Amino acid sequence: GIPATVLSVSICVCRASSIQEDSAMENIVTEKKVEESHRQDSADLLIFIMLLTLTILTIWLFKHRRFRFLHETGLAMIYGVLVGVVLRYGIHVPRDISNVTMSCHVNASPATLLVNVSGKFYEYTLKGEIGANEVNDVQDNEMLRKVTFDPEVFFNILLPPIIFHAGYSLKRRHFFRNMGSILAYAFLGTVVSCFVIGLLMYGCVLLMKQVGQLGGDFFFTDCLFFGAIVSATDPVTVLAIFNELQVDVDLYALLFGESVLNDAVAVILSSSIVAYQPQGDNSHTFEVMALLKSFGMFLGVFSGSFALGVATGVVTFTKLRDFPLLETALFFLMSWSTFLLAEACGFTGVVAVLFCGITQAHYTFNNLSPDSQDRTKQLFELLNFLAENFIFSYMGLALFTFQSHIFNPMFIVGAFVAVFLGRAANIYPLSLLLNLGRRNKITSNFQHMMMFAGLRGAMTFALSIRDTATYARQMMFTTTLLVVFFTVWICGGGTTQMLSCQHIRVGVDSDQDNPVSVALVSITEGSERRSTKQESAWLFRIWYNFDHNYLKPILTHSVTFISVCVSNNPLPSHQNECQLKDDDSDLILTDGDINLTYGDITVSTDASGSHTSGGPAFAGAATSDDLDRELTYGDHELVMRGTRLVLPMDDSEPPFTDPHHRMRM
Amino acid sequence: GIPATVLSVSICVCRASSIQEDSAMENIVTEKKVEESHRQDSADLLIFIMLLTLTILTIWLFKHRRFRFLHETGLAMIYGVLVGVVLRYGIHVPRDISNVTMSCHVNASPATLLVNVSGKFYEYTLKGEIGANEVNDVQDNEMLRKVTFDPEVFFNILLPPIIFHAGYSLKRRHFFRNMGSILAYAFLGTVVSCFVIGLLMYGCVLLMKQVGQLGGDFFFTDCLFFGAIVSATDPVTVLAIFNELQVDVDLYALLFGESVLNDAVAVILSSSIVAYQPQGDNSHTFEVMALLKSFGMFLGVFSGSFALGVATGVVTFTKLRDFPLLETALFFLMSWSTFLLAEACGFTGVVAVLFCGITQAHYTFNNLSPDSQDRTKQLFELLNFLAENFIFSYMGLALFTFQSHIFNPMFIVGAFVAVFLGRAANIYPLSLLLNLGRRNKITSNFQHMMMFAGLRGAMTFALSIRDTATYARQMMFTTTLLVVFFTVWICGGGTTQMLSCQHIRVGVDSDQDNPVSVALVSITEGSERRSTKQESAWLFRIWYNFDHNYLKPILTHSVTFISVCVSNNPLPSHQNECQLKDDDSDLILTDGDINLTYGDITVSTDASGSHTSGGPAFAGAATSDDLDRELTYGDHELVMRGTRLVLPMDDSEPPFTDPHHRMRM
């Protein structure tokens, strides 16, 4: 290292040091200054609000006209880019001379600095490091720097509602059905992707060093860090289109589940890599021990965050049924405190909040009054919408207003190739492995679709903007922005084309207004489900039994459901089981889901003729008779529920059903 | 003034300047430091979340058991005080040595400071001034200073939703009925109160100077400023109890209307006084010209904020009926952008947001889809609830954690006397004057109740914490806190006792489950309303006609209502008038209001026998025949609406009704 023991003190006062006015005068000047700065802040924030307003109005227009080529997030980015260009090149605000800065050369950068101005002490807080080349520009680009938010805002304010909403709106039935595959993609896949991208980028960086294209340090850990942050997929655009076009629910569940969980994996992976970073300058190499330590940290942080999220999710026993306002407020505060608690404990807030959301949707949601259920859903929906669009429009803005962009064409090209190959190394080999175990195979067109739907979004951006101090990080940030733009615009915009190109069926998960396809799906799904359940049975079954026999009855108070079930089921032992089905069906957040829930039950009257059709295939794997009972008593349930939704299904369907049924098996 | 031309530069580096490590090492240290600080921030914020959670749970208990002696805000303050005591005396966090501060003696305090640490530049931002006596404590009380928020947070984040909600939930029918009196109390009364308190405090300060109790400068403008900030009443506790006990609606309207508007008056008054502050040290005296300028500024800022609020409220033409999420988001963003726009223009955001709320409730609300109407109401209700409880618990906390308290017993006693007399000088003389013009007198027990209900709350606190730099401001802040505590706990807690002591009727504004009293109130209110309307007729009538004939039909799209009315009213000229009644009735946010709305209409069949009973008394003041027509066609309307709520009223009521009717006249 450079042994620099600098203690040079030199204050360059840019303002002409005129005769010092009296304190009253100075107070007024300070007040005026503060007021002016406050006014400027408001104007800056107004830019973002206007951007969001514009986005909303355009989204409305698009939805109204059923344009699907551009999602709201893509749109927000475009507006952000436009405003960024205007701010960068269009506006030159003449700065007040009293706003100038001064420099103290000192030998440390404490978090708090006290400045003594003629006997008065002013407190300054550390904002961050500024690149040496920017020091002279501080004056000019104050406007641009003003619209640059503190990166922690993204992590602490904007990301939690998005992640929570993802957890909260997870369609648990489909999620748990494909749990094995989702976990494989999210954990194994993300780690594979991280290392593949990291290694490819390290190759690229070495090449750049050879060619002389590298302008600063870029260590292997930086490459791995880059791999981690761009491994977080966020197919919000794709999923919105899937939802609209009612694409296959299993594909939806795989993509959504993977994207939700790999955010958690990526954030912990990146922080583990930072922690793995060596202590000295010369040790930026690969060390097995440090890697193991890092891996241990990954597991520790993950399980800690997971446990914390689940714990607070479960703890929120709301019994304030008579006061929806209090209930909603409590629900909101508990979710937020999960985040804060995790951060305060040194865990990862977003992971905790994700599992808190999943747990709350599973247990706490049932305890809420119907009014509060609506309120919380709508509240988190709104927060998610605002936060997401804000982040994406900020991304667009940052392309032009961020001060330390390093556009390195070679690195960018390398990154695009690496991201593509990393995604491929995640999806294809894992799908191959998973298909060995899955009865309901992940077909190659599904694999291509998942490959294509590997958009990068809010999490990748938030991780990359968190630290832009070094050369490596700045280059990463610029490249990450471009990756996000490309994937959101090109891959997001081409989703419908890709769907039709891959011949993936749409209109599968349809509403009640299309009774034929409901019944049709019910049956195919039913048979599929049995087989899927079988392959992930060992994991699913243990959890399922424990949860539904012990946790749910304790943690939810669905007394009315129990009594209904008891009256229908003469056997008291089926009481819990009966209750859980009801709970599951009213847990689900979007109406498309309800069809499937009932679809599962209609299995017992499907094309195969009798309700024992699934029995033999099942008996082998069944360690508990719980699921069997579920099937056996399925038509008993049907009597109770048939009036609601399953009515369209009658015997005229089999001709339509059978081909599909066979094709999918 | 003191001609001090200090340019002494001396950096006291508290940390032992060891051998400078290499840059990588330093990066890691910085990262660790940032992480530690971030963890601490999360823990600090968690304290507040826990406080709020605790408050909610206790409120629920109180509501459940129908305790009325302590409102949620009072409770939040108590919890805040308890936690404040613990933080102050209970916790001693050993501080990391690397967190120490250093001092640069320079001759200016720019907003941004650049610090050069061995070639790297770090940016620091101005946080604020620190009292000279605290400089040595900076180290020790960092924990306490951490839980002290930036005062601007209150103004920019917490206050807007509270004020907006107040405007949004204003019961416009009652508000406009008593508009004259409310405006008198809010504008004239607040100014009177401000000057009375200011003059009394100036006397008190002069006395203190004589006795030698004053430890610093305290100018006349400071006294006026104090008068302005403690003139903002916030009877949230009282109004909650009024709502629960269903106290007389006119009293409710007077108190609520006054408190909403006097917040606006107080905030502009205080900023005008700051602007009035003289330019030199020796001119802290009273100047007529400066006062006029200040008054002009008051009017300018008020009308600017008002116009802006109304304009953006009106502009929010939402036609996104099919997308409640977009609609709600747009509504929320427009409300917030009103605030920011006003601040950016140099107006007062809270005033703009107040009138934006009133306007949006009046016009935009009708354009929303029913789903969005619920969503926006619930959203703003939740935001208001959280912000209010946060502010009050923060107040409790600040009593012990704020670092620059100046408890001056003489000033505090003086302030309590001044606040009491100031409120009296507002209510009693104005009521006397208003009663000369009002037919429906403000009785003396109402006056006493209004006097008693002059609680101080969120606005007073936010105004006083905004600037605590000088000795005067610090003493004001401490005193303000005590005034708020006293009024919220003692006056708020004694509301029910005061109500029964003053023999003010409760259970007036009852629900449908008490049909007799509904009918009873309908009639008394009906006759009262006619008389009230008459006295404020000149103001009310002009606005009413303009609004209902031109603005409403243009700004709202209640097509269905129009068509219903047209079919009932053969005369096409009554179309608008008919529509407006429907709009008015569905605008109102709480159900208690609906009774009154219908009560107004049932006038035409009241105890006096015929629907022309109100006619003669009315004809004198009537400049337009609009209101007459409203009465004439009242029973026509009744046919259409009678099935809904007015059914309980039949001819068996007069014996009950007459005494009240006479008593109130």
Side-chain angles (χ1 to χ4, degrees), chain A residues 38, chain B residues 151-152 155-156 267 271 343 461-468 473 477:
Chain A
H38 171 65
Chain B
E152 292 299 313
F155 252 82
N156 296 341
V267 66
S271 69
E343 291 285 325
F461 172 75
L463 282 171
S464 69
I465 204 177
R466 202 170 197 181
D467 180 1
T468 52
R473 293 287 172 89
F477 177 67

Coordinates of all heavy atoms in Angstrom, one line a residue, chain A residues 38, chain B residues 151-152 155-156 267 271 343 461-468 473 477:
Chain A
H38 N -34.6 24.2 0.6 CA -35.8 23.4 0.8 C -36.7 23.5 -0.4 O -37.3 22.5 -0.8 CB -36.5 24.0 2.1 CG -37.9 23.4 2.2 ND1 -38.1 22.1 2.5 CD2 -39.1 24.0 2.2 CE1 -39.4 21.9 2.6 NE2 -40.0 23.0 2.4
Chain B
P151 N -36.2 18.1 11.7 CA -37.6 18.7 11.9 C -38.4 18.8 10.6 O -39.6 18.8 10.6 CB -37.2 20.1 12.4 CG -35.9 20.0 13.0 CD -35.2 18.9 12.2
E152 N -37.6 18.9 9.5 CA -38.4 19.0 8.2 C -39.2 17.8 7.9 O -40.1 17.8 7.1 CB -37.4 19.3 7.0 CG -36.7 20.7 7.1 CD -37.7 21.8 7.1 OE1 -38.6 21.8 6.2 OE2 -37.6 22.7 7.9
F155 N -42.7 18.4 8.8 CA -43.4 19.3 7.8 C -43.6 18.7 6.5 O -44.6 19.0 5.9 CB -42.6 20.6 7.7 CG -43.3 21.7 8.4 CD1 -43.2 21.9 9.7 CD2 -44.2 22.5 7.7 CE1 -43.9 22.9 10.4 CE2 -44.9 23.5 8.3 CZ -44.8 23.7 9.7
N156 N -42.7 17.9 6.0 CA -42.8 17.4 4.7 C -43.4 16.1 4.5 O -43.9 15.7 3.5 CB -41.4 17.5 4.0 CG -40.9 18.8 3.9 OD1 -41.6 19.8 4.0 ND2 -39.6 19.0 3.7
V267 N -49.7 28.7 10.5 CA -48.4 28.4 9.8 C -48.0 29.6 8.9 O -46.8 29.9 8.8 CB -48.5 27.1 9.0 CG1 -49.5 27.1 7.8 CG2 -47.2 26.6 8.4
S271 N -44.8 32.1 9.5 CA -43.8 32.4 8.5 C -43.7 33.9 8.1 O -42.7 34.4 7.8 CB -44.0 31.5 7.3 OG -45.2 31.9 6.6
E343 N -44.7 24.3 -2.1 CA -43.5 24.5 -1.4 C -42.4 25.0 -2.4 O -41.7 25.9 -2.1 CB -42.9 23.2 -0.8 CG -43.7 22.8 0.4 CD -43.5 23.6 1.7 OE1 -42.3 24.1 1.9 OE2 -44.4 23.8 2.5
F461 N -46.5 21.6 17.5 CA -45.2 21.0 17.7 C -44.3 21.1 16.5 O -43.1 21.4 16.6 CB -45.5 19.5 18.0 CG -44.3 18.7 18.1 CD1 -43.4 18.7 19.2 CD2 -43.9 17.8 17.1 CE1 -42.3 18.0 19.3 CE2 -42.8 17.1 17.1 CZ -42.0 17.1 18.2
A462 N -44.9 20.8 15.3 CA -44.1 20.9 14.1 C -43.5 22.3 13.9 O -42.4 22.4 13.5 CB -44.9 20.4 12.9
L463 N -44.3 23.3 14.2 CA -43.8 24.7 14.0 C -42.7 25.0 15.0 O -41.8 25.7 14.7 CB -45.0 25.7 14.2 CG -45.9 25.8 13.0 CD1 -47.1 26.7 13.3 CD2 -45.2 26.4 11.8
S464 N -42.9 24.5 16.2 CA -41.9 24.9 17.2 C -40.6 24.1 17.1 O -39.5 24.6 17.5 CB -42.5 24.7 18.6 OG -42.6 23.3 18.9
I465 N -40.7 22.9 16.5 CA -39.4 22.1 16.4 C -38.7 22.5 15.1 O -37.5 22.1 14.9 CB -39.7 20.6 16.4 CG1 -38.5 19.8 16.9 CG2 -40.2 20.0 15.1 CD1 -38.6 18.3 17.0
R466 N -39.3 23.2 14.2 CA -38.7 23.5 12.9 C -37.4 24.3 13.1 O -36.5 24.1 12.3 CB -39.7 24.3 12.1 CG -39.4 24.3 10.7 CD -40.6 24.9 9.9 NE -40.5 24.5 8.5 CZ -41.3 24.9 7.5 NH1 -42.3 25.7 7.9 NH2 -41.2 24.5 6.3
D467 N -37.3 25.1 14.1 CA -36.1 25.9 14.3 C -35.9 26.0 15.8 O -36.6 26.7 16.5 CB -36.3 27.3 13.7 CG -35.1 28.1 13.8 OD1 -34.1 27.6 14.4 OD2 -35.1 29.3 13.4
T468 N -34.9 25.3 16.2 CA -34.5 25.4 17.7 C -33.1 25.8 17.8 O -32.3 25.3 18.7 CB -34.7 24.0 18.3 OG1 -34.0 23.0 17.6 CG2 -36.2 23.6 18.4
R473 N -35.9 30.2 20.8 CA -36.6 29.1 20.2 C -36.5 27.9 21.0 O -37.5 27.1 21.0 CB -36.0 28.8 18.8 CG -36.2 30.0 17.8 CD -37.6 30.0 17.3 NE -37.9 31.2 16.5 CZ -37.8 31.2 15.2 NH1 -37.4 30.2 14.5 NH2 -38.0 32.3 14.5
F477 N -39.7 26.0 22.5 CA -40.0 24.6 22.2 C -40.3 23.8 23.4 O -41.3 23.1 23.5 CB -38.7 23.9 21.5 CG -38.9 22.5 21.2 CD1 -39.8 22.0 20.3 CD2 -38.1 21.5 21.9 CE1 -39.9 20.7 20.0 CE2 -38.3 20.2 21.6 CZ -39.2 19.7 20.7

